[in-house]
Amino acid sequence: MTQTQGMLIDYHTHHERCGHAVGKLEDYILSAMKQGMEQIGLSDHMPLLHVTDKDNPDSAMPMEELPRYVEEALALKEKYKGRIEVRVGLEGDYVEGQEEKIERIVNGYPWDYVIGSVHFLGTWDVTDFRQVDRWEGRRVVEVYEQYFDAIAKAAATGFYDYIGHMDAIKRFGYRPEEDVSALEDAALQAIKKHDLAFELNAAGIYAPCKEMYPSVSILERARAYDIPVTYGSDAHHPDKIGQKGAEAKELLRKAGYTELAVFTERKRKLKSF
């Protein structure tokens, strides 16, 4: 088995249940093993809670699939024990006003970790290419204000272990003319205050913004705040496991990171890379 030159872990993955990824859970595990990874995290999207599947098709797994997802992931964790460490996780969207429903899901299953990601501002999924027209008529800076406020509120809930793609609001290339470093810092300070980690998410490289989430500037400030970091490919295809891992490692090292956050049963440890 050839050891990867990129990351030895990947904590952000999706599969066919969410409707916009391909491949079975096991395909992602096998891809990680092929690369010589030590840990692979399964972290598909939490079911939609405040909008309908009809209005947002192929956005997340149906609610009835959630227990099946967990059952299958736990079985695979046992199946591959001793060959690769499988972590059972969830990308648990933070949606303001839906905290009770989110908490029931977070507390209802034996997760190894839960990612706190903001996709929705109200009913607008700001990461969905099908909804890009909703930027029209809005001041970009005001959307950024709402987004980073949601990140800070997510961090304060206690539901999550780390924040996912914390500046994904830039995905489609909409950037304010104004300096938003104060907004980013407020979000970072909330992450620090509530003892969360955050992720370096490689998927932004392939989006119109053409850079990882978060930006190098945010990454450097997170290091200055001594906030732990982990890595996620955000793979939606088994072949994307570990994508841009070597580049991610270089970015992290340049920012001063030497360790990655890893999780077991909601407990965080740091692992050198």
Side-chain angles (χ1 to χ4, degrees):
M1 184 180 293
T2 302
Q3 185 162 296
T4 177
Q5 295 301 305
M7 292 297 185
L8 292 176
I9 71 165
D10 186 346
Y11 266 58
H12 194 144
T13 65
H14 297 284
H15 77 299
E16 62 187 4
R17 275 187 179 87
C18 74
H20 60 280
V22 300
K24 299 185 181 302
L25 287 174
E26 192 163 15
D27 297 331
Y28 288 80
I29 296 170
L30 293 172
S31 178
M33 290 175 63
K34 188 176 180 180
Q35 294 184 50
M37 285 192 171
E38 296 176 2
Q39 295 185 20
I40 181 65
L42 308 175
S43 61
D44 221 330
H45 289 285
M46 182 180 75
L48 299 173
L49 300 178
H50 73 302
V51 293
T52 67
D53 294 307
K54 181 179 178 181
D55 291 330
N56 296 264
D58 302 326
S59 294
M61 75 176 95
M63 188 64 76
E64 61 268 21
E65 284 296 324
L66 182 59
R68 298 170 192 163
Y69 162 67
V70 177
E71 182 179 6
E72 182 182 357
L74 289 171
L76 290 167
K77 181 177 185 176
E78 187 63 28
K79 178 178 178 178
Y80 287 95
K81 194 172 183 179
R83 300 168 67 189
I84 188 171
E85 296 177 35
V86 177
R87 297 290 182 259
V88 180
L90 180 77
E91 186 171 19
D93 274 39
Y94 174 72
V95 183
E96 190 169 359
Q98 302 298 316
E99 288 84 356
E100 288 186 11
K101 293 178 182 178
I102 298 168
E103 188 172 21
R104 282 198 294 271
I105 291 173
V106 169
N107 292 335
Y109 297 92
W111 309 113
D112 284 311
Y113 66 100
V114 180
I115 307 172
S117 295
V118 174
H119 296 94
F120 283 93
L121 297 178
T123 60
W124 176 22
D125 183 347
V126 297
T127 67
D128 188 345
F129 69 93
R130 298 169 297 186
Q131 300 183 39
V132 173
D133 61 347
R134 295 183 70 167
W135 280 96
E136 292 178 15
R138 299 176 190 261
R139 285 190 65 218
V140 174
V141 70
E142 291 178 354
V143 179
Y144 271 61
E145 288 170 355
Q146 190 179 356
Y147 177 85
F148 282 107
D149 179 62
I151 292 287
K153 286 175 177 172
T157 62
F159 300 160
Y160 307 111
D161 299 293
Y162 71 84
I163 295 296
H165 47 56
M166 73 166 283
D167 63 350
I169 190 65
K170 72 187 180 188
R171 179 176 186 179
F172 297 109
Y174 289 89
R175 298 178 188 264
E177 296 177 3
E178 298 86 351
D179 180 4
V180 293
S181 57
L183 301 177
E184 297 164 348
D185 276 354
L188 286 170
Q189 289 164 15
I191 293 168
K192 175 66 175 177
K193 177 181 178 181
H194 298 286
D195 193 28
L196 273 69
F198 75 108
E199 73 172 357
L200 181 60
N201 182 306
I205 288 284
Y206 301 102
C209 64
K210 292 183 169 56
E211 67 175 8
M212 294 191 191
Y213 311 117
S215 66
V216 170
S217 173
I218 293 175
L219 191 63
E220 290 173 343
R221 280 176 280 154
R223 183 68 189 98
Y225 287 130
D226 197 27
I227 300 172
V229 68
T230 194
Y231 160 79
S233 64
D234 213 337
H236 285 65
H237 188 289
D239 291 348
K240 293 293 187 179
I241 289 291
Q243 64 181 341
K244 297 295 180 181
E247 292 92 331
K249 186 182 289 186
E250 183 179 358
L251 283 176
L252 290 170
R253 285 182 171 157
K254 283 183 177 178
Y257 282 101
T258 60
E259 297 175 309
L260 293 173
V262 294
F263 301 88
T264 306
E265 296 178 351
R266 310 297 304 277
K267 294 180 177 65
R268 184 177 74 219
K269 291 184 179 179
L270 294 177
K271 179 181 180 64
S272 295
F273 68 91

